[in-house]
């Protein structure tokens, strides 16, 4: 499989549940990102990982917990979410360094609904 | 900090016609990259076209071309011979070429409708 793969594609969870989103990239990239996309709001960068190290956390609530065990995998662990956390969660990867001009490669996202 | 502005939340175009999506950005840098991404209903963001700021020649990719005006900090996307499959959300984006902050900065997007 090529590109960036996100699972699950859809997720419905209660506010007391714990679930995880998974992202996997097969491009040999060394940076990975989580974005939140809500209706009528711009893309919100949540977390950035470079070479497995978290380099950015944009004031994301602690009910979102990222994990990057290696450069190919990225997880977003969810617990005690709120209805306003319902959104499309996008994962992206990139090759940092001198090849910034190639941009990001995105996955198809996980549509999360919190009930 | 850099910003990207897309002033047209929605646009419509007749099939086979040409449409131009606007984008302006603000930066004090001289070297950077600009992108247009497409997000169809399938949700995956796809890179449509990219421009390197140090190149004066406008980028083209088949029916997609840009009008890059560096002095005006403008980067519009022209879609020729519009097709139904072009219906999507389009995001303009900026990325520094150098320095520690290498995140891509996205505009709010323009939703493009194609009328049959």
């Amino acid at each position: 499989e090529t590109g960036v793969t996100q699972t699950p594609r859809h997720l419905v969870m209660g506010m007391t549940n714990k679930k995880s989103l998974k992202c996997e990239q097969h491009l040999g990239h060394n940076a990975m990102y989580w974005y939140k996309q809500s209706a009528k709001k711009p893309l919100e960068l949540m977390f950035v990982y470079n070479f497995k190290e978290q380099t950015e956390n944009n004031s994301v609530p602690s009910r979102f917990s990222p994990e990057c065990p290696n450069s190919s995998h990225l997880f977003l662990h969810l617990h005690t979410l709120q209805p306003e956390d319902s959104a499309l969660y996008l994962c992206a990867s990139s090759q940092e360094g001198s090849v910034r001009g190639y941009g990001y490669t995105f996955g198809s996202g996980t549509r999360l609904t919190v009930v | 900090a850099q910003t990207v502005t897309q002033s047209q939340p929605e646009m419509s175009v007749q099939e086979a016609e040409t449409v131009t999506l606007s984008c302006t950005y603000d930066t004090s840098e001289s070297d950077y990259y600009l992108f247009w991404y497409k997000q169809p209903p399938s949700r995956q963001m796809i890179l449509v076209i990219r421009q390197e700021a140090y190149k004066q020649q406008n980028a083209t990719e088949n029916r997609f071309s840009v009008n890059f005006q560096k002095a005006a900090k403008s980067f519009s996307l022209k879609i020729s011979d519009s097709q139904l499959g072009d219906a999507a959300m389009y995001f303009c984006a900026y990325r520094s070429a150098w320095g520690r902050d290498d995140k891509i900065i996205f505009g709010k997007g323009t939703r493009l409708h194609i009328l049959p």
Side-chain angles (χ1 to χ4, degrees), chain B residues 11-102:
Chain B
M11 293 188 72
S12 295
V13 64
Q14 208 74 37
E15 194 177 3
E17 296 294 309
T18 296
V19 64
T20 299
L21 280 58
S22 301
C23 173
T24 58
Y25 58 93
D26 190 25
T27 184
S28 59
E29 299 173 334
S30 59
D31 201 9
Y32 48 87
Y33 300 98
L34 296 166
F35 308 90
W36 279 99
Y37 280 87
K38 169 185 177 182
Q39 187 180 34
S42 64
R43 307 176 333 200
Q44 186 170 18
M45 300 263 283
I46 302 164
L47 180 63
V48 175
I49 198 165
R50 54 188 286 270
Q51 175 80 38
E52 297 163 1
Y54 65 86
K55 289 187 177 180
Q56 290 191 336
Q57 187 173 10
N58 289 324
T60 63
E61 286 288 341
N62 301 314
R63 297 182 295 107
F64 299 86
S65 61
V66 298
N67 183 5
F68 173 47
Q69 302 288 328
K70 191 172 184 178
K73 297 179 183 175
S74 170
F75 184 60
S76 60
L77 174 69
K78 186 171 84 171
I79 306 174
S80 303
D81 184 26
S82 298
Q83 300 175 1
L84 294 177
D86 295 332
M89 195 77 166
Y90 286 82
F91 293 92
C92 179
Y94 171 101
R95 192 178 200 183
S96 298
W98 307 104
R100 290 195 63 187
D101 191 356
D102 54 10

